[in-house]
Amino acid sequence: RIIASMEGTKVFIPWKGEIAWVPATVTGVQDDKFIVQPEAIEGENEEAMGPTPGEPLEVSLKDEGLEEFDALPLQNMDQPDEGCLDMCHLNSLHEPAILYN
Protein backbone atom coordinates (compact mmCIF):
# COMPACT_ATOMS: atom_id res chain seq x y z
CA ARG A 1 0.00 0.00 0.00
CA ILE A 2 1.52 3.33 -1.09
CA ILE A 3 0.10 5.36 1.80
CA ALA A 4 1.99 3.27 4.38
CA SER A 5 5.29 4.39 2.83
CA MET A 6 4.62 7.93 4.11
CA GLU A 7 5.90 7.09 7.60
CA GLY A 8 8.85 9.39 8.39
CA THR A 9 7.85 11.88 5.68
CA LYS A 10 8.12 15.60 6.52
CA VAL A 11 4.80 17.33 5.78
CA PHE A 12 2.72 20.37 6.65
CA ILE A 13 -0.60 20.17 8.51
CA PRO A 14 -3.24 22.90 8.66
CA TRP A 15 -3.70 24.68 11.98
CA LYS A 16 -6.35 27.11 13.12
CA GLY A 17 -4.95 30.13 14.87
CA GLU A 18 -1.98 32.38 14.34
CA ILE A 19 -0.21 29.87 12.09
CA ALA A 20 -1.97 28.49 9.02
CA TRP A 21 0.42 25.55 8.46
CA VAL A 22 2.66 23.65 10.87
CA PRO A 23 5.59 21.39 9.92
CA ALA A 24 5.16 17.79 11.08
CA THR A 25 6.46 14.25 10.56
CA VAL A 26 4.20 11.33 9.65
CA THR A 27 4.66 8.59 12.26
CA GLY A 28 1.90 6.23 11.23
CA VAL A 29 -1.08 5.59 8.99
CA GLN A 30 -4.41 4.10 10.10
CA ASP A 31 -7.08 3.62 7.44
CA ASP A 32 -7.54 7.08 5.87
CA LYS A 33 -5.89 8.95 8.77
CA PHE A 34 -2.30 9.99 9.31
CA ILE A 35 -0.67 10.12 12.74
CA VAL A 36 1.74 13.07 12.75
CA GLN A 37 4.07 14.69 15.27
CA PRO A 38 4.18 18.48 14.93
CA GLU A 39 7.63 20.05 14.90
CA ALA A 40 8.72 23.06 16.92
CA ILE A 41 8.06 26.30 15.07
CA GLU A 42 11.25 28.25 14.49
CA GLY A 43 12.05 31.73 13.26
CA GLU A 44 9.84 34.78 13.46
CA ASN A 45 6.74 32.71 14.36
CA GLU A 46 8.29 30.97 17.41
CA GLU A 47 5.96 32.75 19.84
CA ALA A 48 2.80 31.87 17.91
CA MET A 49 0.41 29.36 19.43
CA GLY A 50 0.59 26.07 17.58
CA PRO A 51 0.22 22.42 18.49
CA THR A 52 2.50 20.94 21.14
CA PRO A 53 5.68 19.76 19.39
CA GLY A 54 6.03 15.97 19.45
CA GLU A 55 2.46 15.36 20.65
CA PRO A 56 0.80 12.96 18.18
CA LEU A 57 -2.15 14.29 16.19
CA GLU A 58 -4.54 12.53 13.85
CA VAL A 59 -5.01 14.17 10.44
CA SER A 60 -7.22 13.22 7.50
CA LEU A 61 -7.31 14.56 3.96
CA LYS A 62 -10.98 15.28 4.70
CA ASP A 63 -10.00 17.79 7.41
CA GLU A 64 -10.59 21.49 6.87
CA GLY A 65 -7.70 22.97 4.93
CA LEU A 66 -6.73 19.70 3.24
CA GLU A 67 -9.77 19.20 1.00
CA GLU A 68 -7.92 20.43 -2.11
CA PHE A 69 -4.94 18.11 -1.57
CA ASP A 70 -4.53 14.52 -2.81
CA ALA A 71 -1.85 13.93 -0.17
CA LEU A 72 -0.39 15.81 2.79
CA PRO A 73 1.68 18.76 1.48
CA LEU A 74 5.39 17.89 1.58
CA GLN A 75 8.12 20.00 3.14
CA ASN A 76 11.02 21.08 0.92
CA MET A 77 13.99 19.35 2.51
CA ASP A 78 16.94 20.84 0.60
CA GLN A 79 15.94 24.47 1.03
CA PRO A 80 18.60 26.95 2.22
CA ASP A 81 18.00 28.55 5.65
CA GLU A 82 17.50 31.95 4.02
CA GLY A 83 14.88 30.54 1.64
CA CYS A 84 14.93 30.07 -2.08
CA LEU A 85 15.00 33.24 -4.22
CA ASP A 86 13.53 31.49 -7.26
CA MET A 87 10.61 29.37 -6.05
CA CYS A 88 10.69 27.43 -9.32
CA HIS A 89 13.57 25.52 -7.70
CA LEU A 90 11.39 24.21 -4.85
CA ASN A 91 10.61 20.49 -5.09
CA SER A 92 7.10 21.06 -3.74
CA LEU A 93 5.26 24.25 -4.62
CA HIS A 94 2.02 24.79 -2.67
CA GLU A 95 0.67 27.30 -0.14
CA PRO A 96 2.58 26.02 2.92
CA ALA A 97 5.84 25.71 0.95
CA ILE A 98 5.52 29.32 -0.19
CA LEU A 99 4.76 30.52 3.35
CA TYR A 100 7.78 28.66 4.78
CA ASN A 101 10.15 29.81 2.02
Side-chain angles (χ1 to χ4, degrees), residues 15-29:
W15 190 255
K16 294 180 181 177
E18 297 177 64
I19 301 172
W21 295 94
V22 174
T25 302
V26 177
T27 59
V29 180

Side-chain angles (χ1 to χ4, degrees), residues 7-99:
E7 291 179 16
T9 302
K10 301 284 190 174
V11 298
F12 291 104
I13 57 171
W15 190 255
K16 294 180 181 177
E18 297 177 64
I19 301 172
W21 295 94
V22 174
T25 302
V26 177
T27 59
V29 180
Q30 295 176 345
D31 300 320
D32 66 341
K33 299 198 183 303
F34 300 91
I35 309 304
V36 299
Q37 284 188 334
E39 299 171 11
I41 297 166
E42 299 176 354
E44 59 188 59
N45 291 320
E46 281 183 48
E47 301 300 318
M49 294 299 293
T52 304
E55 186 174 305
L57 295 174
E58 199 173 86
V59 179
S60 169
L61 293 177
K62 297 174 186 172
D63 290 350
E64 185 177 343
L66 288 172
E67 308 92 348
E68 66 186 69
F69 291 93
D70 295 330
L72 293 176
L74 300 175
Q75 292 182 34
N76 289 299
M77 300 310 302
D78 296 326
Q79 182 173 323
D81 290 339
E82 64 276 359
C84 188
L85 291 177
D86 185 352
M87 287 193 267
C88 290
H89 296 291
L90 295 175
N91 293 332
S92 298
L93 188 58
H94 42 63
E95 179 184 351
I98 292 169
L99 292 172

